[in-house]
Amino acid sequence: MMRGPPGERSPDDRLDFGVVNLDKPPGPSAHQVTGWVRDLVGVDRAAHAGTLDPKVTGCLPILLGDATRLAQVFLEGAKEYVAVLELHGPAPDDLDAVLDAFESPIHQKPPKKSAVARRLRVRTVHALDPLDVKERRVLLRIRCESGTYVRKLCHDLGLALGTGAHMGDLRRVGTTPFDDTDLVSLHDLTDALAFAEDDDTEPLADAVQPAERALSHLPRVTIAPNAAREVAEGAPVYAPGVLSIEDVSATDADEPPLVACCTPDGAAVCLGRLVGEADAERGTVVDLERVLI
């Protein structure tokens, strides 16, 4: 069954294909918080956008119901953090130069307690800006590739600075395409659900966004409704069904760019890889990765 326009869905439809930009509190793990949200909302599935350690707070988008099929989109985007770098000695004069040198691809090995294989891998630090320096503490804003270990980055910065260092407080302020400007607390979500039971659905509309919000950073391919019905049956997106394609930036990746296919009214149909041209007359334009209807 095709979904209607994102802005016209009922509260139940929003909960079954929605996303909460949660402000994770300190204490529980990201997995625990996701379970609480799943049970609170009353859906059978929920998935979070990137692990946060128990003490870490901030931006934790949680996908609800069928929206869990979108989880892979968070592997493609950047993360942004504000962290306290705890130096083991006075900040050296070359602090800014060392930070600048780390704005590049860096090698990291996941820590022993991580859930992934401990193989050396490359992650890119896009920006590393000192917001404040006070005695042996440096407040950093870090923008980095998904999968970067900030704790390990802080350790390596300490070695490069010659003082030694470890990570203090850490807060995630962005997970592409979400940021900390519209975070929802667990209390906000609980209240919104209670108001909805009394037929006041406005707070719920603020707390739970349509799942398409998680796709807003991806290039969009608009396809005809008849093509969407074929995709629902497992067919790729063929050229005759493509109405338009947003400009896709050049990429050095080994595989074609990830795109979101939507109907003209904005409802998400599938995730896929763009393998054809916008003006093609025949053949496959988008190979399917996840069907969303």
Side-chain angles (χ1 to χ4, degrees), residues 6-287:
E8 299 179 10
R9 293 174 191 157
S10 69
D12 286 343
D13 289 340
R14 183 76 69 92
L15 293 177
D16 192 52
F17 193 64
V19 58
V20 179
N21 188 20
L22 192 77
D23 187 355
K24 178 192 170 297
S29 68
H31 179 74
Q32 287 174 312
V33 172
T34 301
W36 294 345
V37 170
R38 178 199 63 216
D39 296 342
L40 184 65
V41 171
V43 294
D44 58 350
R45 290 166 293 158
H48 62 75
T51 299
L52 288 177
D53 290 344
K55 293 182 180 180
V56 180
T57 65
C59 186
L60 183 71
I62 295 180
L63 301 163
L64 305 175
D66 288 342
T68 56
R69 300 172 187 170
L70 302 176
Q72 76 180 88
V73 303
F74 296 111
L75 300 176
E76 306 267 335
K79 302 290 194 294
E80 190 165 348
Y81 301 89
V82 172
V84 176
L85 179 67
E86 300 277 2
L87 300 175
H88 300 168
D93 294 336
D94 64 346
L95 173 64
D96 289 343
V98 172
L99 294 179
D100 289 344
F102 273 76
E103 292 182 346
S104 66
I106 61 174
H107 289 83
Q108 286 194 324
K109 180 179 286 188
K112 293 180 180 179
K113 293 185 178 180
S114 67
V116 299
R118 298 192 68 233
R119 299 191 184 95
L120 194 66
R121 58 187 189 174
V122 177
R123 289 294 182 269
T124 299
V125 177
H126 304 294
L128 193 54
D129 301 316
L131 302 178
D132 192 19
V133 180
K134 186 174 183 180
E135 298 177 349
R136 297 185 178 186
R137 290 184 169 184
V138 182
L139 186 65
L140 295 175
R141 181 177 289 272
I142 305 163
R143 182 172 174 80
C144 55
E145 183 180 353
S146 181
T148 303
Y149 287 92
V150 177
R151 189 180 304 276
K152 182 66 167 61
L153 174 62
C154 289
H155 172 79
D156 292 345
L157 283 169
L159 294 178
L161 290 166
T163 61
H166 65 275
M167 185 187 79
D169 292 333
L170 179 67
R171 180 169 177 80
R172 188 158 69 192
V173 296
T175 297
T176 304
F178 297 89
D179 59 30
D180 61 348
T181 59
D182 59 354
L183 291 174
V184 176
S185 71
L186 286 169
H187 293 294
D188 294 334
L189 181 59
T190 302
D191 289 346
L193 290 166
F195 280 120
E197 290 181 356
D198 292 332
D199 296 325
D200 181 1
T201 60
E202 185 175 346
L204 188 62
D206 292 335
V208 182
Q209 303 178 57
E212 284 84 357
R213 174 70 176 83
L215 304 175
S216 60
H217 63 302
L218 296 179
R220 174 174 294 195
V221 178
T222 302
I223 64 176
N226 61 333
R229 287 189 285 270
E230 293 178 359
V231 168
E233 299 296 327
V237 178
Y238 294 113
V242 175
L243 301 180
S244 65
I245 299 178
E246 287 184 355
D247 290 338
V248 180
S249 301
T251 176
D252 296 327
D254 295 332
E255 57 185 346
L258 186 67
V259 296
C261 297
C262 301
T263 56
D265 62 9
V269 175
C270 67
L271 288 174
R273 297 286 173 180
L274 186 65
V275 296
E277 301 294 333
D279 56 356
E281 295 183 358
R282 61 176 62 88
T284 300
V285 175
V286 178
D287 275 335

